[in-house]
Amino acid sequence: MLLLAACSGEKEPEVEYAVPDALCGVPTGKEAVEPFFPPGSKLTKTGAALDDGKYASGCDYAVDNAKTLMVSDFFHEDIPTARQIAQKRAADYGNGDTKVVVSDNVAVYSRGAVAVEPCPGYPSDTDGLPRKSFSVEIVAYYPKDLAKQEKTLTRLVTKLVPAVAKANGC
């Protein structure tokens, strides 16, 4: 019995990398992103900043080569609702759960969140594509606490929207 008790006292896995305090170039604070980064030793980031003014941009994070977080923004020729985008993403990334919860301009599903904002009068980019709105999206592969996911994802995606809007003159 003593042997079993000693074995069950294992230490929890640790985060050995620096948790970012910005996502794709947008300051968020570590506390806002920490729930989405698992234990591991190596964090890698690929992609571009959200505020680069391109029609679509974003970055991906991986811990020990496992997808952890995708963050992106897209401009739209129309003004879709956050629900419309989230329903599609839930089908693609929701692990079979297609439930979508909407609050104001943010829609949350089992693995992510989408916020949509108008961007009236923004000139077309070099490809001649009109921009009437934009969306900011997060897909999380590792939430630490699923019970708090909806609130945490909403808070995080709403922190990213102003930076994208400002960078693009919306």
Side-chain angles (χ1 to χ4, degrees):
M1 279 213 164
L2 288 176
L3 181 59
L4 289 176
C7 291
S8 66
E10 289 183 31
K11 289 174 50 175
E12 287 193 27
E14 294 181 15
V15 174
E16 297 174 17
Y17 55 88
V19 174
D21 59 357
L23 290 180
C24 303
V26 178
T28 56
K30 285 183 183 180
E31 65 284 344
V33 300
E34 193 173 41
F36 302 106
F37 287 92
S41 59
K42 182 180 176 189
L43 175 68
T44 54
K45 177 188 147 204
T46 56
L50 288 178
D51 56 3
D52 65 3
K54 293 184 180 177
Y55 202 77
S57 60
C59 65
D60 299 328
Y61 293 87
V63 172
D64 298 336
N65 296 320
K67 285 183 186 179
T68 301
L69 199 65
M70 292 183 350
V71 183
S72 59
D73 68 0
F74 297 94
F75 278 87
H76 303 279
E77 297 177 29
D78 56 359
I79 304 177
T81 66
R83 178 185 294 281
Q84 290 169 325
I85 297 170
Q87 286 173 327
K88 168 88 170 92
R89 299 299 185 257
D92 294 344
Y93 301 111
N95 296 337
D97 181 0
T98 56
K99 177 185 168 193
V100 173
V101 177
V102 180
S103 174
D104 295 324
N105 65 336
V106 177
V108 179
Y109 59 96
S110 65
R111 288 280 175 223
V114 179
V116 176
E117 288 289 327
C119 190
Y122 189 85
S124 298
D125 68 2
T126 57
D127 295 328
L129 299 170
R131 300 176 181 189
K132 293 184 180 172
S133 68
F134 70 90
S135 59
V136 176
E137 303 180 34
I138 297 172
V139 177
Y141 292 94
Y142 177 82
K144 283 185 182 175
D145 186 345
L146 289 172
K148 294 179 181 176
Q149 181 180 7
E150 183 180 322
K151 186 177 181 180
T152 306
L153 279 167
T154 299
R155 209 172 323 139
L156 183 55
V157 78
T158 56
K159 280 187 172 205
L160 301 174
V161 168
V164 175
K166 180 179 179 185
N168 293 288
C170 297

